[in-house]
Short mmCIF file of all heavy atoms in Angstrom, two decimals:
data_model
loop_
_atom_site.label_atom_id
_atom_site.label_comp_id
_atom_site.label_asym_id
_atom_site.label_seq_id
_atom_site.Cartn_x
_atom_site.Cartn_y
_atom_site.Cartn_z
N MET A 1 14.15 -88.69 -27.83
CA MET A 1 13.98 -89.55 -26.68
C MET A 1 15.35 -89.93 -26.14
O MET A 1 16.25 -90.26 -26.89
CB MET A 1 13.19 -90.79 -27.10
CG MET A 1 12.97 -91.73 -25.96
SD MET A 1 12.14 -93.29 -26.37
CE MET A 1 10.99 -92.87 -27.61
N LEU A 2 15.48 -89.88 -24.84
CA LEU A 2 16.71 -90.24 -24.17
C LEU A 2 16.83 -91.76 -24.11
O LEU A 2 15.89 -92.44 -23.74
CB LEU A 2 16.70 -89.66 -22.76
CG LEU A 2 17.89 -89.93 -21.88
CD1 LEU A 2 19.14 -89.30 -22.46
CD2 LEU A 2 17.63 -89.38 -20.49
N LYS A 3 17.95 -92.29 -24.49
CA LYS A 3 18.17 -93.74 -24.44
C LYS A 3 19.26 -94.04 -23.42
O LYS A 3 20.31 -93.42 -23.40
CB LYS A 3 18.60 -94.25 -25.80
CG LYS A 3 17.54 -94.01 -26.85
CD LYS A 3 17.39 -95.22 -27.71
CE LYS A 3 16.35 -94.88 -28.77
NZ LYS A 3 15.34 -95.83 -28.89
N ILE A 4 18.98 -95.00 -22.55
CA ILE A 4 19.94 -95.46 -21.56
C ILE A 4 20.16 -96.95 -21.82
O ILE A 4 19.20 -97.72 -21.82
CB ILE A 4 19.41 -95.24 -20.13
CG1 ILE A 4 19.23 -93.75 -19.87
CG2 ILE A 4 20.37 -95.86 -19.11
CD1 ILE A 4 18.60 -93.44 -18.53
N PRO A 5 21.40 -97.36 -22.08
CA PRO A 5 21.65 -98.78 -22.33
C PRO A 5 21.11 -99.64 -21.18
O PRO A 5 21.23 -99.28 -20.01
CB PRO A 5 23.17 -98.87 -22.42
CG PRO A 5 23.62 -97.48 -22.73
CD PRO A 5 22.61 -96.56 -22.10
N GLU A 6 20.51 -100.75 -21.53
CA GLU A 6 19.98 -101.73 -20.58
C GLU A 6 18.70 -101.26 -19.87
O GLU A 6 18.17 -102.00 -19.05
CB GLU A 6 21.03 -102.13 -19.54
CG GLU A 6 22.32 -102.65 -20.13
CD GLU A 6 22.12 -103.87 -21.01
OE1 GLU A 6 21.32 -104.74 -20.67
OE2 GLU A 6 22.79 -103.93 -22.07
N TYR A 7 18.20 -100.07 -20.14
CA TYR A 7 16.94 -99.63 -19.53
C TYR A 7 15.80 -100.05 -20.44
O TYR A 7 15.72 -99.63 -21.57
CB TYR A 7 16.92 -98.12 -19.31
CG TYR A 7 15.63 -97.65 -18.68
CD1 TYR A 7 15.41 -97.82 -17.32
CD2 TYR A 7 14.63 -97.07 -19.44
CE1 TYR A 7 14.25 -97.41 -16.73
CE2 TYR A 7 13.45 -96.65 -18.86
CZ TYR A 7 13.26 -96.83 -17.50
OH TYR A 7 12.08 -96.43 -16.92
N LYS A 8 14.92 -100.88 -19.93
CA LYS A 8 13.82 -101.40 -20.73
C LYS A 8 12.47 -100.96 -20.19
O LYS A 8 11.45 -101.48 -20.58
CB LYS A 8 13.86 -102.93 -20.74
CG LYS A 8 15.19 -103.52 -21.13
CD LYS A 8 15.31 -103.67 -22.62
CE LYS A 8 16.52 -104.49 -22.96
NZ LYS A 8 17.62 -103.78 -23.52
N GLY A 9 12.45 -99.98 -19.29
CA GLY A 9 11.21 -99.59 -18.63
C GLY A 9 10.30 -98.68 -19.42
O GLY A 9 9.22 -98.35 -18.97
N GLY A 10 10.68 -98.21 -20.57
CA GLY A 10 9.83 -97.34 -21.36
C GLY A 10 10.58 -96.10 -21.81
O GLY A 10 11.77 -95.97 -21.52
N PRO A 11 9.91 -95.21 -22.50
CA PRO A 11 10.58 -94.01 -23.00
C PRO A 11 10.95 -93.06 -21.87
O PRO A 11 10.27 -92.99 -20.85
CB PRO A 11 9.55 -93.39 -23.93
CG PRO A 11 8.24 -93.89 -23.42
CD PRO A 11 8.50 -95.25 -22.86
N LEU A 12 12.03 -92.35 -22.05
CA LEU A 12 12.48 -91.35 -21.09
C LEU A 12 12.56 -90.01 -21.80
O LEU A 12 12.79 -89.95 -22.99
CB LEU A 12 13.86 -91.71 -20.54
CG LEU A 12 13.98 -93.00 -19.76
CD1 LEU A 12 15.42 -93.25 -19.38
CD2 LEU A 12 13.10 -92.97 -18.53
N VAL A 13 12.39 -88.96 -21.05
CA VAL A 13 12.56 -87.62 -21.59
C VAL A 13 13.40 -86.81 -20.63
O VAL A 13 13.48 -87.12 -19.44
CB VAL A 13 11.20 -86.90 -21.81
CG1 VAL A 13 10.38 -87.63 -22.86
CG2 VAL A 13 10.43 -86.79 -20.52
N GLN A 14 14.05 -85.77 -21.13
CA GLN A 14 14.78 -84.86 -20.27
C GLN A 14 13.77 -84.04 -19.47
O GLN A 14 12.96 -83.34 -20.04
CB GLN A 14 15.66 -83.91 -21.10
CG GLN A 14 16.80 -84.61 -21.77
CD GLN A 14 17.93 -84.94 -20.80
OE1 GLN A 14 17.71 -85.25 -19.65
NE2 GLN A 14 19.13 -84.88 -21.30
N GLY A 15 13.80 -84.13 -18.19
CA GLY A 15 12.83 -83.44 -17.36
C GLY A 15 13.47 -82.56 -16.30
O GLY A 15 12.79 -82.14 -15.36
N GLY A 16 14.76 -82.29 -16.43
CA GLY A 16 15.47 -81.51 -15.43
C GLY A 16 14.86 -80.14 -15.17
O GLY A 16 14.94 -79.62 -14.06
N ALA A 17 14.23 -79.56 -16.17
CA ALA A 17 13.63 -78.23 -16.00
C ALA A 17 12.50 -78.26 -14.97
O ALA A 17 12.22 -77.24 -14.33
CB ALA A 17 13.11 -77.72 -17.33
N TYR A 18 11.87 -79.41 -14.78
CA TYR A 18 10.77 -79.50 -13.82
C TYR A 18 11.26 -79.47 -12.38
O TYR A 18 10.48 -79.22 -11.47
CB TYR A 18 9.96 -80.76 -14.06
CG TYR A 18 9.16 -80.69 -15.34
CD1 TYR A 18 9.54 -81.43 -16.44
CD2 TYR A 18 8.05 -79.88 -15.44
CE1 TYR A 18 8.82 -81.36 -17.62
CE2 TYR A 18 7.32 -79.80 -16.61
CZ TYR A 18 7.71 -80.55 -17.70
OH TYR A 18 7.01 -80.48 -18.86
N LEU A 19 12.53 -79.75 -12.14
CA LEU A 19 13.04 -79.79 -10.77
C LEU A 19 12.96 -78.44 -10.07
O LEU A 19 12.87 -78.38 -8.85
CB LEU A 19 14.48 -80.30 -10.76
CG LEU A 19 14.67 -81.73 -11.24
CD1 LEU A 19 16.15 -82.08 -11.26
CD2 LEU A 19 13.89 -82.71 -10.41
N ASP A 20 12.97 -77.35 -10.83
CA ASP A 20 12.87 -76.02 -10.25
C ASP A 20 11.43 -75.58 -10.04
O ASP A 20 11.18 -74.56 -9.41
CB ASP A 20 13.58 -74.99 -11.14
CG ASP A 20 15.08 -75.19 -11.13
OD1 ASP A 20 15.61 -75.70 -10.13
OD2 ASP A 20 15.72 -74.85 -12.14
N ASP A 21 10.48 -76.33 -10.57
CA ASP A 21 9.06 -76.01 -10.39
C ASP A 21 8.67 -76.36 -8.95
O ASP A 21 8.84 -77.50 -8.52
CB ASP A 21 8.22 -76.81 -11.38
CG ASP A 21 6.76 -76.42 -11.38
OD1 ASP A 21 6.23 -76.09 -10.31
OD2 ASP A 21 6.16 -76.45 -12.46
N PRO A 22 8.17 -75.39 -8.17
CA PRO A 22 7.84 -75.68 -6.77
C PRO A 22 6.76 -76.75 -6.60
O PRO A 22 6.62 -77.31 -5.52
CB PRO A 22 7.39 -74.33 -6.21
CG PRO A 22 7.11 -73.48 -7.38
CD PRO A 22 7.90 -74.01 -8.54
N LEU A 23 6.02 -77.05 -7.65
CA LEU A 23 4.99 -78.08 -7.55
C LEU A 23 5.53 -79.48 -7.86
O LEU A 23 4.84 -80.47 -7.62
CB LEU A 23 3.84 -77.77 -8.50
CG LEU A 23 3.05 -76.52 -8.17
CD1 LEU A 23 2.03 -76.24 -9.26
CD2 LEU A 23 2.38 -76.66 -6.82
N PHE A 24 6.75 -79.56 -8.39
CA PHE A 24 7.27 -80.88 -8.77
C PHE A 24 7.39 -81.82 -7.57
O PHE A 24 6.94 -82.96 -7.62
CB PHE A 24 8.63 -80.76 -9.47
CG PHE A 24 9.22 -82.10 -9.77
CD1 PHE A 24 8.79 -82.83 -10.86
CD2 PHE A 24 10.18 -82.66 -8.93
CE1 PHE A 24 9.32 -84.09 -11.13
CE2 PHE A 24 10.71 -83.92 -9.19
CZ PHE A 24 10.28 -84.63 -10.30
N TRP A 25 7.99 -81.35 -6.50
CA TRP A 25 8.24 -82.24 -5.37
C TRP A 25 6.97 -82.67 -4.65
O TRP A 25 6.84 -83.85 -4.31
CB TRP A 25 9.28 -81.62 -4.43
CG TRP A 25 10.59 -81.57 -5.12
CD1 TRP A 25 11.23 -80.46 -5.60
CD2 TRP A 25 11.40 -82.68 -5.51
NE1 TRP A 25 12.38 -80.82 -6.25
CE2 TRP A 25 12.52 -82.18 -6.22
CE3 TRP A 25 11.29 -84.05 -5.35
CZ2 TRP A 25 13.51 -83.01 -6.73
CZ3 TRP A 25 12.28 -84.87 -5.87
CH2 TRP A 25 13.38 -84.34 -6.54
N PRO A 26 6.01 -81.79 -4.43
CA PRO A 26 4.75 -82.30 -3.85
C PRO A 26 4.09 -83.33 -4.76
O PRO A 26 3.57 -84.34 -4.29
CB PRO A 26 3.87 -81.07 -3.70
CG PRO A 26 4.77 -79.92 -3.78
CD PRO A 26 6.00 -80.34 -4.52
N MET A 27 4.15 -83.08 -6.07
CA MET A 27 3.55 -84.02 -7.01
C MET A 27 4.31 -85.34 -6.99
O MET A 27 3.72 -86.41 -6.94
CB MET A 27 3.58 -83.39 -8.41
CG MET A 27 2.96 -84.22 -9.51
SD MET A 27 4.05 -85.39 -10.35
CE MET A 27 5.46 -84.44 -10.80
N HIS A 28 5.64 -85.29 -6.97
CA HIS A 28 6.46 -86.50 -7.03
C HIS A 28 6.42 -87.30 -5.72
O HIS A 28 6.32 -88.52 -5.74
CB HIS A 28 7.90 -86.10 -7.35
CG HIS A 28 8.84 -87.24 -7.46
ND1 HIS A 28 8.74 -88.20 -8.44
CD2 HIS A 28 9.90 -87.60 -6.69
CE1 HIS A 28 9.70 -89.10 -8.28
NE2 HIS A 28 10.40 -88.76 -7.23
N LEU A 29 6.50 -86.61 -4.61
CA LEU A 29 6.57 -87.29 -3.31
C LEU A 29 5.24 -87.38 -2.59
O LEU A 29 5.14 -88.05 -1.56
CB LEU A 29 7.58 -86.56 -2.41
CG LEU A 29 9.01 -86.52 -2.95
CD1 LEU A 29 9.86 -85.62 -2.07
CD2 LEU A 29 9.60 -87.91 -3.04
N GLY A 30 4.23 -86.72 -3.12
CA GLY A 30 2.94 -86.65 -2.44
C GLY A 30 2.27 -87.99 -2.21
O GLY A 30 1.51 -88.16 -1.26
N SER A 31 2.55 -88.97 -3.06
CA SER A 31 1.91 -90.27 -2.88
C SER A 31 2.39 -90.97 -1.62
O SER A 31 1.77 -91.92 -1.16
CB SER A 31 2.16 -91.15 -4.10
OG SER A 31 3.53 -91.41 -4.24
N CYS A 32 3.48 -90.49 -1.03
CA CYS A 32 4.00 -91.07 0.22
C CYS A 32 3.20 -90.61 1.42
O CYS A 32 3.30 -91.21 2.49
CB CYS A 32 5.46 -90.69 0.42
SG CYS A 32 6.56 -91.27 -0.86
N LEU A 33 2.42 -89.55 1.25
CA LEU A 33 1.65 -88.99 2.36
C LEU A 33 0.19 -89.35 2.20
O LEU A 33 -0.34 -89.36 1.10
CB LEU A 33 1.81 -87.47 2.38
CG LEU A 33 3.24 -86.97 2.54
CD1 LEU A 33 3.29 -85.47 2.32
CD2 LEU A 33 3.78 -87.33 3.90
N ARG A 34 -0.46 -89.61 3.28
CA ARG A 34 -1.87 -90.00 3.25
C ARG A 34 -2.75 -88.77 3.45
O ARG A 34 -2.70 -88.13 4.48
CB ARG A 34 -2.18 -91.01 4.35
CG ARG A 34 -1.34 -92.25 4.28
CD ARG A 34 -1.79 -93.12 3.14
NE ARG A 34 -0.95 -94.32 3.12
CZ ARG A 34 -0.67 -94.98 2.04
NH1 ARG A 34 -1.13 -94.57 0.88
NH2 ARG A 34 0.08 -96.04 2.09
N GLY A 35 -3.51 -88.44 2.44
CA GLY A 35 -4.49 -87.36 2.54
C GLY A 35 -3.94 -86.00 2.16
O GLY A 35 -2.75 -85.72 2.32
N GLU A 36 -4.83 -85.18 1.64
CA GLU A 36 -4.44 -83.85 1.19
C GLU A 36 -3.96 -82.96 2.33
O GLU A 36 -3.08 -82.12 2.14
CB GLU A 36 -5.60 -83.18 0.46
CG GLU A 36 -5.87 -83.80 -0.90
CD GLU A 36 -6.96 -83.07 -1.67
OE1 GLU A 36 -7.19 -81.89 -1.39
OE2 GLU A 36 -7.56 -83.70 -2.54
N ASP A 37 -4.51 -83.12 3.52
CA ASP A 37 -4.08 -82.29 4.65
C ASP A 37 -2.61 -82.54 4.97
O ASP A 37 -1.84 -81.61 5.21
CB ASP A 37 -4.93 -82.55 5.88
CG ASP A 37 -6.35 -82.01 5.74
OD1 ASP A 37 -6.55 -81.11 4.89
OD2 ASP A 37 -7.24 -82.49 6.46
N ALA A 38 -2.19 -83.80 4.95
CA ALA A 38 -0.78 -84.14 5.20
C ALA A 38 0.10 -83.59 4.09
O ALA A 38 1.20 -83.08 4.35
CB ALA A 38 -0.62 -85.64 5.32
N GLN A 39 -0.36 -83.68 2.87
CA GLN A 39 0.41 -83.18 1.74
C GLN A 39 0.58 -81.66 1.83
O GLN A 39 1.66 -81.13 1.61
CB GLN A 39 -0.27 -83.59 0.43
CG GLN A 39 -0.21 -85.08 0.22
CD GLN A 39 -1.30 -85.59 -0.71
OE1 GLN A 39 -2.19 -84.86 -1.11
NE2 GLN A 39 -1.21 -86.86 -1.05
N ARG A 40 -0.50 -80.97 2.16
CA ARG A 40 -0.42 -79.51 2.28
C ARG A 40 0.49 -79.11 3.45
O ARG A 40 1.25 -78.16 3.36
CB ARG A 40 -1.81 -78.92 2.46
CG ARG A 40 -2.58 -78.80 1.17
CD ARG A 40 -3.88 -78.02 1.38
NE ARG A 40 -4.55 -77.79 0.14
CZ ARG A 40 -5.40 -78.61 -0.45
NH1 ARG A 40 -5.68 -79.78 0.11
NH2 ARG A 40 -5.98 -78.30 -1.59
N ALA A 41 0.40 -79.85 4.56
CA ALA A 41 1.23 -79.53 5.72
C ALA A 41 2.71 -79.75 5.41
O ALA A 41 3.56 -78.96 5.82
CB ALA A 41 0.81 -80.38 6.91
N ALA A 42 3.02 -80.79 4.67
CA ALA A 42 4.42 -81.11 4.37
C ALA A 42 5.01 -80.17 3.34
O ALA A 42 6.17 -79.77 3.44
CB ALA A 42 4.53 -82.55 3.90
N PHE A 43 4.24 -79.81 2.34
CA PHE A 43 4.78 -79.07 1.22
C PHE A 43 4.25 -77.65 1.10
O PHE A 43 4.85 -76.82 0.43
CB PHE A 43 4.51 -79.80 -0.09
CG PHE A 43 5.15 -81.15 -0.15
CD1 PHE A 43 4.39 -82.29 -0.09
CD2 PHE A 43 6.53 -81.27 -0.24
CE1 PHE A 43 4.98 -83.54 -0.14
CE2 PHE A 43 7.13 -82.51 -0.30
CZ PHE A 43 6.35 -83.65 -0.24
N GLY A 44 3.10 -77.36 1.71
CA GLY A 44 2.53 -76.03 1.64
C GLY A 44 2.12 -75.61 0.24
O GLY A 44 1.97 -74.44 -0.04
N ALA A 45 1.94 -76.56 -0.64
CA ALA A 45 1.61 -76.24 -2.03
C ALA A 45 0.12 -76.42 -2.29
O ALA A 45 -0.60 -77.05 -1.52
CB ALA A 45 2.40 -77.16 -2.97
N ASP A 46 -0.30 -75.87 -3.38
CA ASP A 46 -1.66 -76.06 -3.85
C ASP A 46 -1.73 -77.46 -4.46
O ASP A 46 -1.21 -77.70 -5.55
CB ASP A 46 -1.98 -74.98 -4.89
CG ASP A 46 -3.37 -75.11 -5.48
OD1 ASP A 46 -4.06 -76.12 -5.19
OD2 ASP A 46 -3.77 -74.23 -6.24
N TRP A 47 -2.36 -78.40 -3.77
CA TRP A 47 -2.37 -79.77 -4.21
C TRP A 47 -3.08 -79.94 -5.54
O TRP A 47 -2.70 -80.75 -6.37
CB TRP A 47 -2.98 -80.68 -3.15
CG TRP A 47 -2.84 -82.11 -3.52
CD1 TRP A 47 -3.83 -82.99 -3.80
CD2 TRP A 47 -1.62 -82.83 -3.69
NE1 TRP A 47 -3.30 -84.21 -4.13
CE2 TRP A 47 -1.95 -84.13 -4.08
CE3 TRP A 47 -0.27 -82.50 -3.57
CZ2 TRP A 47 -0.98 -85.11 -4.33
CZ3 TRP A 47 0.68 -83.47 -3.83
CH2 TRP A 47 0.31 -84.75 -4.19
N ASP A 48 -4.12 -79.16 -5.78
CA ASP A 48 -4.82 -79.26 -7.07
C ASP A 48 -3.89 -78.87 -8.21
O ASP A 48 -3.89 -79.50 -9.27
CB ASP A 48 -6.07 -78.38 -7.07
CG ASP A 48 -7.12 -78.88 -6.09
OD1 ASP A 48 -7.17 -80.10 -5.84
OD2 ASP A 48 -7.88 -78.04 -5.57
N ALA A 49 -3.08 -77.84 -8.02
CA ALA A 49 -2.12 -77.43 -9.05
C ALA A 49 -1.04 -78.49 -9.24
O ALA A 49 -0.61 -78.75 -10.36
CB ALA A 49 -1.49 -76.09 -8.68
N ALA A 50 -0.62 -79.12 -8.15
CA ALA A 50 0.36 -80.20 -8.25
C ALA A 50 -0.21 -81.38 -9.04
O ALA A 50 0.49 -81.99 -9.85
CB ALA A 50 0.81 -80.66 -6.87
N MET A 51 -1.48 -81.67 -8.86
CA MET A 51 -2.11 -82.76 -9.61
C MET A 51 -2.22 -82.40 -11.09
O MET A 51 -2.10 -83.28 -11.95
CB MET A 51 -3.48 -83.10 -9.02
CG MET A 51 -3.37 -83.84 -7.70
SD MET A 51 -2.31 -85.30 -7.74
CE MET A 51 -3.17 -86.32 -8.93
N GLU A 52 -2.45 -81.14 -11.41
CA GLU A 52 -2.46 -80.72 -12.81
C GLU A 52 -1.08 -80.96 -13.44
O GLU A 52 -0.99 -81.43 -14.58
CB GLU A 52 -2.83 -79.25 -12.93
CG GLU A 52 -4.30 -78.98 -12.72
CD GLU A 52 -4.63 -77.50 -12.86
OE1 GLU A 52 -4.03 -76.83 -13.73
OE2 GLU A 52 -5.48 -77.03 -12.10
N LEU A 53 -0.02 -80.65 -12.70
CA LEU A 53 1.33 -80.91 -13.19
C LEU A 53 1.53 -82.41 -13.38
O LEU A 53 2.10 -82.84 -14.38
CB LEU A 53 2.37 -80.35 -12.23
CG LEU A 53 3.83 -80.63 -12.61
CD1 LEU A 53 4.19 -79.99 -13.95
CD2 LEU A 53 4.75 -80.11 -11.52
N TYR A 54 1.06 -83.21 -12.45
CA TYR A 54 1.17 -84.66 -12.58
C TYR A 54 0.49 -85.15 -13.86
O TYR A 54 1.06 -85.95 -14.61
CB TYR A 54 0.55 -85.36 -11.37
CG TYR A 54 0.44 -86.85 -11.56
CD1 TYR A 54 1.56 -87.66 -11.44
CD2 TYR A 54 -0.78 -87.43 -11.89
CE1 TYR A 54 1.46 -89.03 -11.64
CE2 TYR A 54 -0.88 -88.78 -12.09
CZ TYR A 54 0.24 -89.58 -11.97
OH TYR A 54 0.15 -90.93 -12.18
N ARG A 55 -0.72 -84.67 -14.10
CA ARG A 55 -1.43 -85.09 -15.31
C ARG A 55 -0.67 -84.67 -16.57
O ARG A 55 -0.61 -85.42 -17.55
CB ARG A 55 -2.85 -84.54 -15.31
CG ARG A 55 -3.77 -85.30 -14.34
CD ARG A 55 -5.22 -84.88 -14.50
NE ARG A 55 -5.49 -83.59 -13.93
CZ ARG A 55 -5.76 -83.34 -12.67
NH1 ARG A 55 -5.77 -84.33 -11.80
NH2 ARG A 55 -6.02 -82.13 -12.24
N ALA A 56 -0.08 -83.49 -16.56
CA ALA A 56 0.69 -83.01 -17.72
C ALA A 56 1.94 -83.87 -17.93
O ALA A 56 2.26 -84.25 -19.06
CB ALA A 56 1.08 -81.55 -17.54
N LEU A 57 2.63 -84.23 -16.85
CA LEU A 57 3.86 -85.01 -16.97
C LEU A 57 3.59 -86.47 -17.32
O LEU A 57 4.44 -87.12 -17.93
CB LEU A 57 4.66 -84.94 -15.67
CG LEU A 57 5.28 -83.59 -15.34
CD1 LEU A 57 5.97 -83.66 -13.99
CD2 LEU A 57 6.24 -83.16 -16.43
N SER A 58 2.45 -86.98 -16.95
CA SER A 58 2.17 -88.39 -17.22
C SER A 58 1.33 -88.59 -18.48
O SER A 58 1.00 -89.74 -18.80
CB SER A 58 1.47 -89.02 -16.01
OG SER A 58 0.24 -88.38 -15.76
N ALA A 59 1.04 -87.53 -19.21
CA ALA A 59 0.27 -87.66 -20.44
C ALA A 59 1.07 -88.42 -21.49
O ALA A 59 2.29 -88.27 -21.59
CB ALA A 59 -0.12 -86.29 -20.96
N GLU A 60 0.39 -89.23 -22.26
CA GLU A 60 1.05 -90.05 -23.29
C GLU A 60 1.82 -89.19 -24.29
O GLU A 60 2.90 -89.56 -24.72
CB GLU A 60 0.01 -90.88 -24.04
CG GLU A 60 -0.55 -92.03 -23.23
CD GLU A 60 0.46 -93.14 -23.04
OE1 GLU A 60 1.24 -93.41 -23.96
OE2 GLU A 60 0.46 -93.73 -21.95
N HIS A 61 1.27 -88.04 -24.68
CA HIS A 61 1.91 -87.20 -25.70
C HIS A 61 3.12 -86.45 -25.18
O HIS A 61 3.92 -85.96 -25.95
CB HIS A 61 0.90 -86.23 -26.29
CG HIS A 61 0.47 -85.16 -25.32
ND1 HIS A 61 -0.43 -85.42 -24.30
CD2 HIS A 61 0.84 -83.88 -25.20
CE1 HIS A 61 -0.60 -84.30 -23.60
NE2 HIS A 61 0.15 -83.37 -24.12
N ALA A 62 3.25 -86.35 -23.85
CA ALA A 62 4.38 -85.61 -23.28
C ALA A 62 5.57 -86.48 -23.36
O ALA A 62 6.52 -86.61 -22.99
CB ALA A 62 4.06 -85.18 -21.85
#
């Protein structure tokens, strides 16, 4: 587990490898857009696949 002095928000993990995944940014920024049509228009990604990535990244065991 990555430790950052003075950070009390919870456990951190190295996730830099996910930055190259084309689904990372729609998943990360998608909550800023209202509705799947806007998300698809902005990112052109498969929103269902992006949500699968979100569930994998936010799982307790990950």
Side-chain angles (χ1 to χ4, degrees):
M1 180 184 325
L2 179 64
K3 298 224 182 231
I4 297 175
E6 305 302 319
Y7 180 78
K8 308 273 191 253
L12 297 176
V13 296
Q14 291 284 35
Y18 290 106
L19 296 176
D20 292 332
D21 187 325
L23 294 174
F24 175 79
W25 293 108
M27 182 272 310
H28 181 65
L29 299 172
S31 64
C32 298
L33 301 171
R34 303 286 181 210
E36 289 184 23
D37 289 339
Q39 293 157 353
R40 280 188 174 87
F43 298 110
D46 178 353
W47 187 245
D48 294 330
M51 287 308 297
E52 285 181 37
L53 177 62
Y54 170 77
R55 284 189 285 277
L57 291 177
S58 61
E60 287 288 323
H61 69 283

